Each structure stands twice: as C-alpha cells, then as structure tokens.
Amino acid sequence: MQRPQGPALQSAILDEARQLLLAEGSGALSTRRIARAVGCTATSIYLYFENKEALLYVLVDEGFELLHGSLESAYREASEAHPAGEQRLRALARAYVAFGLQQPAYYEVMFRMAPEPLSEFPNDSYVRARRSLELIGRAIDEARTASNLEPVCSSTAATLLWSSLHGLLSLLSNRRIDQRLDPTELLELGIEQACRIPTAPHWERRTSA
C-alpha cells in the first residue's frame, strides 16, 4: 500500500487526529501515535504542523466553521418560516445541540479541552469562532424586539444560553445524568428552558442588579 504524501498526508494526519479524539479524547493525541497510524515519521508531521498545538488549532478552527455553518443554516431556515419571534433562537439552540451530539470529536477540542494547549489560538481563528455566539446574540435581540421587550447585553445573554446547553450536553456525553431519564426529552426541555431565560420580560432587571 502506497503511503500518502503531500496534501494527502496532511489530510491523513488530520483524519487520524480526529479518530483519536473521538475514540480516546484529547489526551490521546500524540504525534508519534498519529505518525505510526498514517505510516510516516513524527518529523514528517512537522512539515505541515509546527507542533501538536498547531494541529489542535486546525481542528478547533474546522470545528467552529462547521458549527457556524450549521447555525447559519438553521437560522436561515427558521427565518423563512418564522419572520419574528423566538423560533429562530430555538432553531439555533437545537442546531448547537445537534452539532455536539453528531460531532463529538470536534466538540471535545472546541469546548472540553484544558485551556493551556489553546493559549495561543490565532486571533483570526478566535474572531471566526465568536461568530456563532454573535449569531445567538442576534437571535436573542430579535426575539426580545418581536415581543416588545427591553434590549439586554446580547453577549451576556448568548453566553448564558450557550452555557446551559453546553452543561447539559457535557453531562449527557459523560453519562452523569440519571439513566432513567429520557435523554431526548431532557434535551428538548433543556433547550426550551435555556431559550426562555434571555427572552423573559424581566430578565434585564435581574442581570443589572
């Protein structure tokens, strides 16, 4: 079997990194393991990625691109069906949850990994990563405007909504939820609850106290 070279080798390295993330988590990532799996030397990996952190940055950036694409599609479809109201926000929340369930390898490096390896995450990648949160904030603003409610700090509101969904997703993926509970029903209730908080009539009074 011919060993991959050039762009094919770079793609194989990323594919193997994703597989390791999915199977064993971020702690399993090592250039030696990846090199052995794809049939190259560890030195060859450094031709494409300066170090392991650079490889992680690529995966994180890819993940946020996928997430933002999913959220944009959900927002666009909901906007066509529901010109106003909270449906767009719920659609974004469902899309975020679906991403976490369907892309566990990306979700691992994006939201669960210890912060040290990503301390030098490139600024342009960070700006792209924030687009998803900004889209959620925009949907919150639109939902409040449609209900004739006072505006709130959309960044704070979006972060709190995301935190609620992330917490529930993390508990479910780590099997820290009572196994007698229906996970599908729990997620749907969690989405409804998370979306109600930043769109509540008096939410801005509580947050400004």
Side-chain angles (χ1 to χ4, degrees), residues 1-196:
M1 180 178 177
Q2 187 176 7
R3 294 179 179 179
Q5 296 179 351
L9 177 56
Q10 184 178 14
S11 179
I13 291 168
L14 286 170
D15 286 343
E16 181 60 26
R18 295 185 194 101
Q19 291 301 316
L20 282 173
L21 283 171
L22 181 59
E24 303 179 41
S26 59
L29 282 179
S30 77
T31 52
R32 288 185 179 180
R33 287 191 66 178
I34 294 171
R36 187 164 56 247
V38 301
C40 71
T41 64
T43 304
S44 297
I45 294 179
Y46 298 129
L47 295 174
Y48 306 97
F49 307 97
E50 182 179 356
N51 48 40
K52 189 175 78 171
E53 286 70 31
L55 175 57
L56 287 171
Y57 296 154
V58 173
L59 293 174
V60 171
D61 204 21
E62 282 183 358
F64 275 110
E65 283 295 308
L66 287 172
L67 173 61
H68 188 65
S70 296
L71 295 185
E72 275 196 319
S73 294
Y75 180 86
R76 184 169 54 252
E77 291 173 6
S79 296
E80 293 173 356
H82 306 281
E86 298 180 15
Q87 293 305 316
R88 279 175 284 187
L89 183 59
R90 290 190 176 93
L92 289 177
R94 291 191 180 95
Y96 173 84
V97 168
F99 175 86
L101 295 174
Q102 296 166 7
Q103 301 286 352
Y106 281 118
Y107 200 85
E108 169 79 12
V109 291
M110 291 163 64
F111 296 121
R112 294 202 190 103
M113 202 168 56
E116 290 81 3
L118 297 179
S119 58
E120 297 181 5
F121 191 50
N123 186 64
D124 56 343
S125 297
Y126 176 77
V127 170
R128 285 195 296 272
R130 283 196 56 84
R131 290 181 304 168
S132 295
L133 200 63
E134 290 166 356
L135 184 56
I136 293 173
R138 187 166 112 196
I140 290 172
D141 287 340
E142 291 169 346
R144 293 187 67 85
T145 298
S147 299
N148 296 315
L149 298 174
E150 292 294 322
V152 297
C153 176
S154 57
S155 294
T156 300
T159 299
L160 288 173
L161 187 150
W162 163 72
S163 299
S164 297
L165 298 176
H166 170 67
L168 186 53
L169 270 173
S170 297
L171 289 170
L172 284 169
S173 63
N174 292 325
R175 299 184 180 180
R176 295 297 187 266
I177 295 291
D178 188 333
Q179 296 301 299
R180 294 170 296 181
L181 298 175
D182 181 346
T184 301
E185 181 181 3
L186 192 62
L187 279 171
E188 187 59 31
L189 289 172
I191 289 170
E192 286 296 317
Q193 183 64 28
C195 291
R196 284 176 187 168

